[in-house]
Amino acid sequence: MALTHEREALIWKTLNDTRGKIEPSQYQNYVFGVMFYKFLSEKAEKWLTSVLRGETWANVWAEDAGKAAEFMQRNLGYVIQPGDMFDDWKTAIDEDKFNVTMVADALLHFDQGVSSDAKHDFAGIFADMDLTSSRLGANAQTRTTTMISWIELMDKIELDDNADVLGDLYEYLIGMFAANSGAKAGEFYTPHQVSDIMARILTAGRENVEEYSLYDPALGSGSLLLTTASYMRNAGVRGAIKYYGQELITTTFNLARMNLMMHGVEYNDINLRNADTLNNDWPDGVIEGVDNPRMFDAVMANPPYSQHWDNQNREDDPRFKFGVAPKTKADYAFLLHSLYHLKADGRMAIVLPHGVLFRGAAEGKIRQALLDNHNIAGIIGLPEKIFTNTSIPTIIMMLEKNRSSDDVMIIDASKGFEKQKNSNRLREEDINKIVETYLTRKDVDKYAHLAPLAEIQENDYNLNIPRYVDTFEEEAPIDTAALLADMKSISEEEAKLNTELKEMMADLVVTDSADQKLLDDLKGVLDYE
């Protein structure tokens, strides 16, 4: 069963109809929370069916709750007690016995039952579901009614056993909530078309490797990790792909954890952290005075653009050996952090504003160092208005740690898109052209140029795309013969109409002297004789 655009739109409309007065940015916490709990509950029930062989979970729990909990923890990383399943909520609703405290108790039990080795994946994941909030209703009764409507809605969303379908719905809703929650809310969401470009280039020729590690230091909703992994043959094999990421905003961090698991990623393969990437190095970093950074096969990021950061006393930080980014623009700080955690043969992709290509001072020195060290492999200029709630055009910069070649593949893809109501969208043919051009690394007239370092040095290390890719289109020469013919035709038509109008006016008869004067004046304008 495929998740069609029609079904997506219907689900979104239904969700909006049940939102009431709750702001989209708050509403998503409840919707995703209920959806994720349903996912975990159905996963637990499926596992129980396979291992209990006809025995009920309630009976097993009654015999030895501690042993039963440990058994589920060891296999799933979490525990859902009998009576706390999503199906138990539905039964209580059908029997008119449900109240909102059942959900609150279930979430509390869940948090208490997370295994120690899965704490970083599950602990506090439902913290954004404030079931005592007046947003849900003025009292327990109205909050219960609100919760019932959400549970019944999730129950009506028929999804098959394919994690991709459930994950795709979750990803779709993340995008819709981002688009409807104001400019800041869109920062955690990278459009799939952009993720796809980055993922295809990062994994090209490496799709069949047995093990692969991914890292996103500005995690957002986790879509970049998931899209990159989707091109790997072993993405569904436990232990084959390792997912690392860091996110500052707790609510967004929770979204990412849910997103990965609802796409079928096992908790053992997820290592995400809720912290400030630039403040303290991670993964690993300096331990007892010794630098032990973890390196990755692929690093991808869409960090907040030109963000302020604390750049004091950073000169000795090994991440920033090429220079310290200015305090008002952290773009190169995110870039250098990401590059630092890249394996010697790894690949990196990062979305940045155009300013990183030409701004001077500290940023100019960092850019020059990266170019002289052959780290910058490519620049892809994207169209404006393709990111949620921001109209600024952006670039994808591709980097590698140890390149022998000094050239930079520069692509101007700013004009290839499909215009939509309030935004622009990269089409499949636009994405294919970008990826194929980048991987081929050959000049394409008015679209791409492979610039050697010597040429970039002649431009004072300025990477502004128009310096290398001339997209100017000359206007077609004017056909003077055709133009004269058109002018002659228009003149003849004008004379004909003028004659017809004079003839009609000659037939007009007026009796009032004022009207006669007006008619005479009009005839004069038409050069009537």
Side-chain angles (χ1 to χ4, degrees):
M1 178 179 65
L3 186 62
T4 64
H5 293 305
E6 290 76 14
R7 291 185 66 226
E8 287 177 338
L10 179 60
I11 291 169
W12 175 249
K13 181 182 182 304
T14 307
L15 283 173
N16 252 339
D17 291 344
T18 64
R19 179 167 65 86
K21 297 181 180 179
I22 306 175
E23 290 297 317
S25 58
Q26 299 293 330
Y27 185 53
Q28 67 177 11
N29 298 332
Y30 298 102
V31 170
F32 290 145
V34 174
M35 182 186 294
F36 186 57
Y37 193 86
K38 177 188 178 186
F39 164 76
L40 294 176
S41 178
E42 291 180 349
K43 182 177 181 178
E45 288 185 318
K46 182 180 178 181
W47 173 77
L48 288 170
T49 299
S50 69
V51 298
L52 294 186
R53 300 177 183 178
E55 183 61 275
T56 66
W57 180 228
N59 287 343
V60 172
W61 188 271
E63 288 179 12
D64 191 332
K67 188 176 180 180
E70 184 182 349
F71 184 45
M72 183 177 281
Q73 282 178 335
R74 191 166 60 249
N75 288 274
L76 300 181
Y78 61 89
V79 177
I80 297 183
Q81 299 182 17
D84 287 350
M85 296 289 183
F86 186 84
D87 278 345
D88 294 325
W89 296 350
K90 291 193 300 178
T91 300
I93 291 171
D94 293 340
E95 296 175 355
D96 200 22
K97 297 178 180 178
F98 178 85
N99 63 74
V100 72
T101 59
M102 291 181 64
V103 178
D105 290 344
L107 298 184
L108 177 63
H109 295 157
F110 179 90
D111 210 38
Q112 294 170 338
V114 174
S115 65
S116 57
D117 64 337
K119 284 289 185 185
H120 64 282
D121 293 308
F122 291 110
I125 202 163
F126 296 107
D128 294 314
M129 288 182 66
D130 183 0
L131 299 178
T132 63
S133 172
S134 59
R135 296 187 186 94
L136 304 186
N139 52 52
Q141 183 177 354
T142 55
R143 290 195 289 274
T144 294
T145 301
T146 301
M147 184 57 64
I148 288 174
S149 69
W150 291 340
I151 292 171
E152 290 180 336
L153 173 61
M154 289 302 156
D155 187 42
K156 290 176 182 176
I157 299 175
E158 296 180 3
L159 297 167
D160 60 19
D161 201 30
N162 185 342
D164 287 339
V165 173
L166 188 59
D168 287 348
L169 173 61
Y170 187 84
E171 191 82 10
Y172 165 77
L173 292 178
I174 285 177
M176 293 303 293
F177 277 118
N180 287 271
S181 300
K184 285 291 181 183
E187 290 182 353
F188 63 78
Y189 180 69
T190 304
H192 182 73
Q193 295 79 20
V194 177
S195 301
D196 204 42
I197 293 169
M198 300 165 75
R200 288 174 60 180
I201 294 174
L202 288 169
T203 60
R206 302 182 178 185
E207 298 89 346
N208 294 323
V209 299
E210 295 298 321
E211 296 181 349
Y212 204 64
S213 58
L214 310 172
Y215 176 48
D216 185 343
L219 182 62
S221 66
S223 62
L224 279 171
L225 290 176
L226 288 166
T227 307
T228 303
S230 70
Y231 283 94
M232 304 302 296
R233 184 193 64 184
N234 290 326
V237 179
R238 178 178 287 191
I241 310 294
K242 293 295 184 182
Y243 302 77
Y244 282 76
Q246 188 159 226
E247 171 57 44
L248 177 62
I249 301 171
T250 302
T251 298
T252 308
F253 169 69
N254 289 336
L255 284 180
R257 290 192 289 174
M258 293 181 190
N259 197 12
L260 264 64
M261 283 185 268
M262 291 182 77
H263 273 88
V265 182
E266 296 293 337
Y267 78 92
N268 321 67
D269 295 328
I270 300 173
N271 198 337
L272 309 182
R273 187 172 184 241
N274 181 201
D276 188 328
T277 288
L278 301 182
N279 243 8
N280 297 292
D281 190 21
W282 184 85
D284 298 336
V286 177
I287 301 174
E288 297 181 355
V290 180
D291 192 26
N292 295 283
R294 189 180 295 267
M295 305 302 184
F296 300 94
D297 294 300
V299 180
M300 65 293 301
N302 178 19
Y305 309 142
S306 301
Q307 179 177 277
H308 286 239
W309 74 299
D310 180 9
N311 72 343
Q312 296 300 305
N313 304 315
R314 301 288 185 177
E315 290 77 13
D316 294 331
D317 191 321
R319 295 176 294 171
F320 308 126
K321 68 176 184 178
F322 288 141
V324 178
K327 65 180 180 180
T328 58
K329 295 179 178 65
D331 303 311
Y332 271 111
F334 280 108
L335 185 154
L336 292 175
H337 170 90
S338 302
L339 183 63
Y340 179 68
H341 284 280
L342 192 64
K343 284 184 178 180
D345 62 345
R347 295 173 182 166
M348 172 184 154
I350 183 169
V351 181
L352 297 166
H354 276 258
V356 300
L357 301 178
F358 53 80
R359 291 193 297 244
E363 291 182 300
K365 292 177 181 178
I366 295 172
R367 185 171 60 248
Q368 178 175 339
L370 290 168
L371 287 163
D372 285 338
N373 201 48
H374 307 169
N375 293 130
I376 300 178
I379 295 162
I380 301 166
L382 300 172
E384 63 180 4
K385 297 183 180 179
I386 60 170
F387 283 88
T388 302
N389 295 317
T390 181
S391 61
I392 66 169
T394 53
I395 64 159
I396 298 172
M397 187 179 288
M398 305 299 306
L399 299 101
E400 296 176 20
K401 210 160 195 175
N402 294 307
R403 294 177 70 229
S404 57
S405 176
D406 67 4
D407 54 28
V408 179
M409 189 68 208
I410 302 175
I411 299 173
D412 186 346
S414 62
K415 294 179 173 59
F417 59 87
E418 175 185 58
K419 190 169 183 59
Q420 298 187 322
K421 184 178 179 181
N422 296 315
S423 63
N424 297 322
R425 180 179 182 276
L426 290 165
R427 299 159 297 188
E428 186 174 357
E429 58 263 36
D430 301 319
I431 296 170
N432 290 338
K433 184 177 181 180
I434 291 170
V435 174
E436 290 165 8
T437 301
Y438 181 86
L439 296 177
T440 304
R441 300 186 76 79
K442 292 182 179 179
D443 283 14
V444 177
D445 187 41
K446 301 190 182 302
Y447 185 76
H449 175 57
L450 186 64
L453 181 59
E455 181 181 356
I456 295 170
Q457 289 171 333
E458 289 175 4
N459 280 292
D460 296 322
Y461 292 92
N462 187 319
L463 290 174
N464 202 17
I465 294 175
R467 288 183 176 237
Y468 303 91
V469 182
D470 180 11
T471 60
F472 178 75
E473 296 283 353
E474 290 187 8
E475 294 185 9
I478 298 174
D479 186 339
T480 53
L483 181 60
L484 286 171
D486 288 343
M487 292 174 66
K488 182 179 179 182
S489 176
I490 293 170
S491 180
E492 291 173 351
E493 182 68 17
E494 182 183 12
K496 178 184 176 183
L497 293 173
N498 199 31
T499 299
E500 291 176 353
L501 184 55
K502 289 178 181 180
E503 291 173 354
M504 287 188 288
M505 293 185 70
D507 294 334
L508 290 176
V509 177
V510 293
T511 57
D512 184 81
S513 59
D515 290 340
Q516 184 62 53
K517 184 178 185 307
L518 181 61
L519 181 60
D520 292 340
D521 290 342
L522 185 55
K523 289 178 180 179
V525 171
L526 294 172
D527 195 25
Y528 183 85
E529 293 181 0

